[in-house]
């Protein structure tokens, strides 16, 4: 069951769609979903309000109970309670992604209320299984009582890239321009430390005003959102692909960091912050390099070192990173590990 479904666009929508596709190879899958809007945005508030009735109709029309009720994110936990209290008592599995388990860390009434909501769910669904997309997400879920999460890292479908020793001499950042992703920090603190001929391309969506302001730096070129094929080529052509997340007082964090495996599979050289879900999105030294978050000197030294690689050295690193990432971050692997959780939940 998921409220994140096409035509809405996003990481959770991709997760729901691809996971159910691959799970169909292992078991019978019945999907109850809430489609987004035609422009790619989430469903309206009215459709969200109607979703419980959609679930109820679907649930009562079934000839038999499912073995597993898998809820696509933690905010849906009440549906697991309804299923548990009915004569049909399936095992309940929930997926944890990022904001859906960490919103309680934010200051203010909304954060406190959401934290209380999750704590209530963990108390009422004590035997539910949680699948977290990273160890960082597992830790965040434990803060509200969901302490038994199994880590199943995400996957990517981006086209594979060929190993070459060539690059365009430019660093690439891809993603939403929000503070925690560190693009503004990189422009202000790291870019001035790099040789003057190394510039930065930014592919993504403008979001936060302070991050947007950093794009005015003369060494930065804003590309806007790119479709998958063009983005894969940009990953491959860049000197390196940066994922420079930083810690914030609000407690916001990166649940996984899909850019890292995407870039590695596409034939890019990944440099990512050693923090949050990126610890599961990068196999250090194999699919990319992890660098201390917020350490500008370490970041500039790592990028300068990559710029000095011989073409053969670069090609060899990319080939190994591609092969490792393609195996480690596949949807087939995600489905197999998820199915293992189902079997364990049923005592198989």
């Amino acid at each position: 069951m998921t409220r994140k479904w096409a035509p809405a666009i996003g990481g959770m929508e991709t997760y729901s769609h691809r996971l159910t596709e691959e799970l169909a190879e292992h078991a019978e899958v019945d999907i109850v979903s809430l489609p987004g809007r035609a422009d790619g945005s989430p469903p309206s508030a009215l459709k969200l309000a109607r979703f419980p009735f959609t679930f109820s109709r679907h649930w009562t029309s079934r000839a038999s109970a499912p073995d597993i009720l898998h809820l696509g994110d933690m905010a849906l936990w009440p549906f697991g309670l309804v299923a548990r209290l009915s004569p049909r008592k399936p095992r309940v599995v929930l997926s944890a992604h990022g904001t859906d388990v960490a919103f309680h860390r934010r200051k203010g009434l909304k954060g406190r209320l959401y934290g209380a909501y999750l704590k209530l769910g963990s108390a009422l669904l004590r035997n539910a299984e949680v699948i977290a997309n990273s160890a960082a997400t597992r830790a965040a879920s434990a803060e509200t009582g969901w302490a038994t999460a199994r880590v199943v890292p995400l996957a990517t479908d981006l086209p594979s890239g060929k190993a070459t020793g060539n690059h365009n001499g430019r660093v690439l950042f891809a993603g939403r321009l929000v503070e925690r992703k560190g693009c503004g920090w990189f422009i202000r603190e790291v870019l001035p430390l790099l040789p003057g001929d190394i510039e930065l391309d930014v592919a993504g969506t403008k979001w936060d005003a302070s991050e947007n302001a950093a794009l005015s730096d003369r060494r930065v070129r804003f590309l806007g959102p790119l479709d998958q094929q063009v983005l894969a080529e940009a990953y491959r052509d860049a000197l390196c692909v940066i994922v420079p997340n930083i810690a914030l007082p609000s407690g916001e964090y990166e649940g996984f960091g899909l850019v890292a495996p995407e870039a590695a599979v596409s034939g890019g050289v990944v440099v990512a912050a050693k923090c949050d879900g990126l610890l599961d999105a990068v196999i250090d030294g194999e699919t990319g390099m992890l660098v201390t978050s917020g350490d500008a000197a370490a970041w500039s030294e790592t990028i300068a070192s990559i710029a000095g690689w011989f073409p053969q050295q670069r090609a060899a690193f990319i080939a190994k990173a591609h092969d490792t990432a393609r195996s480690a971050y596949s949807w087939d692997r995600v489905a197999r590990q998820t199915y293992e959780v189902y079997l364990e939940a049923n005592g198989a």
Side-chain angles (χ1 to χ4, degrees):
M1 176 185 176
T2 176
R3 62 191 174 98
K4 300 289 186 176
W5 199 255
I9 299 171
M12 290 170 69
E13 286 80 3
T14 299
Y15 172 85
S16 298
H17 177 68
R18 291 293 290 115
L19 176 61
T20 51
E21 279 189 337
E22 294 294 334
L23 277 174
E25 299 294 321
H26 301 272
E28 181 182 351
V29 180
D30 188 12
I31 303 167
V32 184
S33 64
L34 178 60
R37 306 184 205 193
D39 63 358
S41 61
S44 66
L46 179 59
K47 286 188 175 181
L48 277 168
R50 290 175 177 170
F51 193 39
F53 300 100
T54 302
F55 172 77
S56 297
R57 287 195 303 270
H58 194 98
W59 183 259
T60 56
S61 67
R62 287 183 57 95
S64 61
D67 293 322
I68 298 289
L69 173 61
H70 188 159
L71 303 175
D73 66 88
M74 300 298 288
L76 296 177
W77 71 258
F79 294 93
L81 182 62
V82 170
R84 283 274 188 86
L85 295 177
S86 70
R88 311 171 178 192
K89 299 184 184 298
R91 299 293 294 181
V92 177
V93 175
L94 303 98
S95 288
H97 301 273
T99 303
D100 62 329
V101 291
F103 190 80
H104 69 281
R105 292 178 174 178
R106 302 184 186 185
K107 296 178 180 178
L109 180 61
K110 288 183 178 179
R112 291 195 295 272
L113 287 175
Y114 187 73
Y117 172 73
L118 287 184
K119 287 180 180 178
L120 178 62
S122 67
L124 296 176
L125 288 174
R126 291 184 181 277
N127 296 322
E129 302 287 340
V130 177
I131 297 175
N133 62 6
S134 68
T137 296
R138 178 173 59 189
S141 66
E143 293 171 3
T144 53
W146 305 89
T148 59
R150 163 90 172 265
V151 175
V152 178
L154 299 183
T156 176
D157 280 324
L158 244 59
S160 296
K162 294 182 179 179
T164 73
N166 302 317
H167 60 81
N168 60 15
R170 303 179 68 87
V171 175
L172 175 68
F173 171 92
R176 284 186 301 143
L177 288 164
V178 293
E179 188 179 6
R180 77 167 188 274
K181 290 186 180 290
C183 184
W185 170 82
F186 183 90
I187 293 170
R188 293 186 298 269
E189 304 294 333
V190 181
L191 197 56
L193 302 179
L194 294 171
D197 60 339
I198 295 180
E199 300 185 339
L200 175 69
D201 286 339
V202 177
T205 307
K206 291 183 178 180
W207 205 272
D208 181 271
S210 62
E211 293 292 293
N212 299 346
L215 299 177
S216 62
D217 189 288
R218 64 177 181 82
R219 295 171 67 182
V220 176
R221 179 174 64 177
F222 180 62
L223 305 178
L226 303 178
D227 65 38
Q228 282 205 328
Q229 184 62 50
V230 177
L231 181 59
E233 293 171 359
Y235 286 147
R236 184 190 65 231
D237 293 341
L239 166 65
C240 63
V241 179
I242 57 165
V243 194
N245 286 61
I246 56 175
L248 297 180
S250 66
E252 292 180 69
Y253 79 110
E254 193 70 41
F256 182 68
L258 193 55
V259 166
E262 282 184 347
V265 166
S266 300
V269 177
V270 177
V271 183
K274 191 184 296 184
C275 66
D276 301 339
L278 292 167
L279 296 172
D280 288 293
V282 177
I283 302 173
D284 193 19
E286 296 187 41
T287 66
M289 283 154 278
L290 292 172
V291 181
T292 302
S293 176
D295 188 337
W299 276 81
S300 64
E301 289 169 7
T302 300
I303 294 170
S305 174
I306 293 169
W309 284 355
F310 293 111
Q312 297 88 340
Q313 183 181 4
R314 179 182 177 85
F317 181 89
I318 290 172
K320 180 181 178 182
H322 165 270
D323 290 348
T324 303
R326 190 174 183 182
S327 173
Y329 301 106
S330 71
W331 284 110
D332 173 68
R333 187 268 307 157
V334 173
R336 283 187 284 104
Q337 291 184 338
T338 299
Y339 187 61
E340 288 171 6
V341 175
Y342 293 173
L343 294 177
E344 291 171 6
N346 268 343

